[in-house]
Every structure is written in structure tokens, then in C-alpha cells.
Amino acid sequence: DEGKRLMAFWNRRRSIEATTATQEHGGLKRTLSWPHLLALGVGAIVGTGILTLIGVGAGLAGPAVMISFALAGLVCACAALAYAELSTMMPQAGSAYAYSYAVLGELIAWIVGWSLILEYSLVVSAVAVGWSGYAVGFLTGLGIDLPTALTAGPHVAGGLVNLPAVAIIGLVTGLLLLGTRESATLNAILVVIKVAALIAFVAIALPAFDAANFTPFMPNGFGAPALPFGELITGQPAVQTGVMAAAAIIFFAFYGFDAISTAAEETKKPERDLAIGIVGSMLICTVLYLVVAAAAIGARPVASFADSPEPLALILREMGQGTAAQWIAASAVIALPTVLLAFLFGQSRIFLGMARDGLLPTSLAKISSRGVPAVVTVFTAIVVAALAGVMRLDELASLANAGTLAAFAAVGVCLIVLRLRDPNRVRKFRAPLWWLVGAITIVGCVVFFFSLRPSTQMWFVVWNAVGLVIYFLWSARNARLAKNPDQAA
């Protein structure tokens, strides 16, 4: 009997039918259509990545950062196709966590969900701190100087708490609590503004295009993944440059479309709208990124903006376009809250899915009269605001990439396993060349993971080790499947 119980535990997997039957738990209101989802995806993707990481990536890869963008975009495009197929089959809040629960089992689902918590929390906190920097600079330009004690955490001399970062999280949370459709509509308006700013940058920079700036094209080579946990093994710090190192960091600039899949329960026609939102936002952003990168490198040599925290604005200033540079900087202040909205929205839905399943306290799954998970949204906001208010996130932010790579790889595995296990199941969206899409997603994520700093790899393992302790001590015993095994596959 003990052996059977042990086997049942390791094979505990929720059926797809149980995954899609969300109404019994108090379903979310279906208020979103594909334009809302497209804007949610573009809003999450276009943000700090293209506004700042193009300089970091160019410093690592030179003009070959174009290849880095293409590689990161290829892996994310394949992951997007896998997400589109799985989300239309299982339109439930929870994203990669929910798919893993139905396909790979509860233990893997917990690891994926725990990794997503890491990703979303750090992204929201880091973006809030980034927005604070822009906002403080903007106020300084108006002659309003805020004290350091209220604009920086304790890691900065004289700093106490980063109140602007906490404030913007509070503002976005309030917007989310008003209702999903209301927040999605405002998000769509802000997305149009920031995309227009990037298009304007391209229009201004292209006339100054100089092909000589692309030579030498690949000064630091292609690069290779680092030795896993190499800093611990060799005792030497890992210095990584090249196309792959840049691609691993630029990956941050692409993900965000997975937030769309967390809105599955709130979509009017998930079988159509989810695929349009996920694949469409990736296509739009990939083309936009490549065009912006080409215009930036063509306008100025890479060395002139590689180390800048605001590379696009710097390029315009060097071109004598000071007014346009101010517009780009202002668009960053507008753009970053849309990233906050998308990821805070997604984080609350991940928590909601795990709470429904009993892996987190079920009290977090309560839906308000406005049709939003108010308790979990406020809880999420408190956690990320605490991080943004007091923590230094510059180095830890790369952990968000590690969490995302784990989730994307799991989705690639789910796509392949489900195609092999249940080939005849109805699929309202079918990923083309599913075996190739799944393989590129998995291999690409593994390669990118080992192209991250070895210290990041180590902290990712530590985070999941803590998560496994929580799972085995509490979550596994309180899971709904442990109490209701009839819902298992």
C-alpha cells in the first residue's frame, strides 16, 4: 500500500477536463477580446528591454546584437506557438503552471509555478525601481528635489525606502482592482503611445544610417554557454561576451507574452483570441525590435551607446535631436507602468491558479464583485512593493530570466508530450511543425539558461530548493488532488 501511495504521489496529475472546469471555483468575468490581449502582450514586452537592454546587448555582441535579437526572438516565437496551442486547450488562469499540472504532474507544476512567482515578482519590482529613477529625474528637471531617504532603499547611502516605486505599484494595483476590462483599455492607450515613440525614433535615426557602423560585425565572436555553476567549480568569475551572452540578456526584452495566457479565463473567445494575442504580439515586437536595433546601430557606432542606461535617447541627443530625446525619455515613464500592469496582472493569476489547487492557501482564490481576484492582487502588490521599496535588484533581476526559461522549457515539453500522449484531442489552435517548435523552445531555453551568469544559476537552484521544502512540508498534503483524487488524470 505504501508503495502504491508513493507511486500515486509521483504520478499525481490533474485531468485536462478538471483543468478547464473553472466555473465551479467561481470563474472570472469574460470581458477581454483579442485587441485587449494584443495590447496586453505588447505592453508587457515593449518596456525596459528595448529602452535599455539594446545598449547592454550591443556592448556584449557589437553590431551582431542583431543576431542576438533574432535568436531570442526565435526561441520566444516557438514558445509563443506552444503557449497558443496549450492555452486554447486549457483556458485557465495559471499559464505554464496549469499546463504542467495537467501534462507533467503536480511536482513539476509546483516547480514551474514557483519559478513563475520568481519571474513575475522580480520583474514587477525591478521595473518599479526603474520607473522611480525616471520619475525622480523628471521631477528634478522641474526643480522638485525629493530626499534620498524617500527615493532609494537602504543599500544607497542615506536611503531608507523607495517611495515612488511603492507608489506606482499601488497605483497600478488600484487600476487592476477597478476591473480587468477597464485596466486593459487604459493599457491599450498607453501601448499605442510608446510604440509610436519607437516608430518616431526609427524615422529620425534612419536618415543618419551609416553601414560602416556594422563593421566589424561580430567583434566578440558567437560565444558559448558557460560551464554550469562554473564560478563555484573553478573559483574564477565568469566573463561572458558574444552573441549568445547578449541573447541570454536580451531574452528579457521579449518575454511578457506569457502574461496573455494568464488572462485565458477572462477572454470572450479564448479559442481564437488567445492565439491572436500571443502570436501577434510576438510578431509585432520581433519586427519592431529588429528595426529599432538596426536604426540605432546605423545611426551611431555601438561604442557610443553601449554603456548608456538610456541608449535610444542618447543616440538622438548625439544627433542634435534634443526634443525627440526628451520625448523618448518621457515615453519610458509612460511605458513602464504598462509592463507593471501586465506582470502584476499575470502574477496575481498565477497565485490564483495555485491557490485554487490548494498548493497555496485557498483564501487567496476569492473573486470580488468586480470579477477580479482582489485578495491575491493586493497580496501580490504588498510582496512586490516591499521588494521594490527596500531591495537592490540590479543583480537579482537576471533571476527573472532564469524563472522564465524554466517555464518556457516546461511549456515546450508539455506541447510534445501531449501531442504524443493524446494526438486526437481537439486543438483549436495547432502549432505548426510541433516537434520542431517544441525542440527549439526546450533547447533554446537550456542554452540561454547556461549563458546566464553562473551565480544566477546558483540562486535559481537555491530558490527552488526553498520551494521544494515548502511543497513537501505543506503544499503536497493540502493539494486538492490529495483530497479529491477522482479529479486526477
Side-chain angles (χ1 to χ4, degrees), residues 9 12 97 101 106-107 109-111 114 117 354-355 357-362 466-483:
F9 168 76
R12 190 188 293 169
Y97 156 77
Y101 210 155
E106 185 176 280
L107 181 60
W110 169 266
I111 294 172
W114 194 247
I117 289 173
M354 297 178 77
D357 295 328
L359 298 180
L360 292 176
T362 53
V466 172
L468 287 174
V469 170
I470 295 172
Y471 173 76
F472 285 114
L473 290 181
W474 190 87
S475 300
R477 300 178 183 180
N478 291 277
R480 289 181 66 244
L481 284 189
K483 301 174 180 178

Side-chain angles (χ1 to χ4, degrees), residues 291-328:
V291 172
V292 169
I297 296 170
R300 281 293 178 271
V302 165
S304 69
F305 63 87
D307 297 323
S308 173
E310 45 169 5
L312 301 187
L314 176 64
I315 290 170
L316 291 179
R317 279 196 294 271
E318 290 186 348
M319 293 174 60
Q321 299 285 345
T323 301
Q326 287 180 326
W327 187 26
I328 290 291

Side-chain angles (χ1 to χ4, degrees), residues 198-442:
L198 290 176
I199 293 174
F201 168 81
V202 172
I204 296 170
L206 274 182
F209 189 91
D210 184 356
N213 291 337
F214 285 84
T215 304
F217 184 67
M218 197 182 296
N220 298 323
F222 195 78
L227 177 68
F229 313 108
E231 290 178 0
L232 298 178
I233 296 172
T234 64
Q236 298 295 321
V239 179
Q240 292 167 259
T241 59
V243 170
M244 285 306 301
I249 292 176
I250 284 171
F251 182 80
F252 181 92
F254 279 97
Y255 67 75
F257 64 84
D258 53 322
I260 298 173
S261 64
T262 67
E265 281 183 46
E266 292 146 283
T267 303
K268 293 178 181 177
K269 295 182 179 179
E271 67 279 1
R272 179 199 68 182
D273 296 345
L274 286 171
I276 294 175
I278 293 172
V279 178
S281 63
M282 266 304 303
L283 289 175
I284 290 171
C285 293
T286 299
V287 172
L288 187 63
Y289 278 10
L290 288 172
V291 172
V292 169
I297 296 170
R300 281 293 178 271
V302 165
S304 69
F305 63 87
D307 297 323
S308 173
E310 45 169 5
L312 301 187
L314 176 64
I315 290 170
L316 291 179
R317 279 196 294 271
E318 290 186 348
M319 293 174 60
Q321 299 285 345
T323 301
Q326 287 180 326
W327 187 26
I328 290 291
S331 74
V333 177
I334 295 172
L336 297 185
T338 67
V339 181
L340 284 174
L341 188 146
F343 277 92
L344 194 57
F345 175 95
Q347 171 73 304
S348 65
R349 271 57 178 180
I350 298 295
F351 272 128
L352 175 66
M354 297 178 77
R356 281 174 170 173
D357 295 328
L359 298 180
L360 292 176
T362 53
S363 59
L364 295 176
K366 185 177 180 180
I367 307 298
S368 74
S369 59
R370 288 185 172 271
V372 298
V375 175
V376 76
T377 299
V378 172
F379 173 77
T380 302
I382 291 172
V383 172
V384 298
L387 290 172
V390 301
M391 289 189 66
R392 183 187 182 101
L393 294 169
D394 53 351
E395 187 172 9
L396 288 177
S398 62
L399 273 171
N401 276 13
T404 306
L405 289 167
F408 282 13
V411 170
V413 173
C414 287
L415 174 71
I416 293 174
V417 169
L418 203 54
R419 282 292 190 112
L420 294 174
R421 179 193 294 160
D422 198 353
N424 298 320
R425 181 174 288 275
V426 175
R427 289 168 170 83
K428 295 171 183 176
F429 174 86
R430 300 178 69 89
L433 300 174
W434 59 268
W435 51 273
L436 182 60
V437 166
I440 290 176
T441 302
I442 297 166

Side-chain angles (χ1 to χ4, degrees), residues 124-125 127-133 135-136 139 146 150-152 161-176 333 336-337 340-341 344 381-382 384-390:
V124 171
S125 301
V127 171
V129 172
W131 182 89
S132 173
V136 170
L139 291 174
L146 298 178
L150 300 181
T151 58
V161 62
N162 193 331
L163 280 186
V166 174
I168 190 62
I169 291 174
L171 182 64
V172 171
T173 302
L175 182 61
L176 287 171
V333 177
L336 297 185
L340 284 174
L341 188 146
L344 194 57
I382 291 172
V384 298
L387 290 172
V390 301

Side-chain angles (χ1 to χ4, degrees), residues 58-86:
L60 293 171
V65 72
M66 296 287 295
I67 299 177
S68 303
F69 270 105
L71 287 174
L74 172 64
V75 173
C76 283
C78 289
L81 290 171
Y83 264 97
E85 177 168 318
L86 293 170

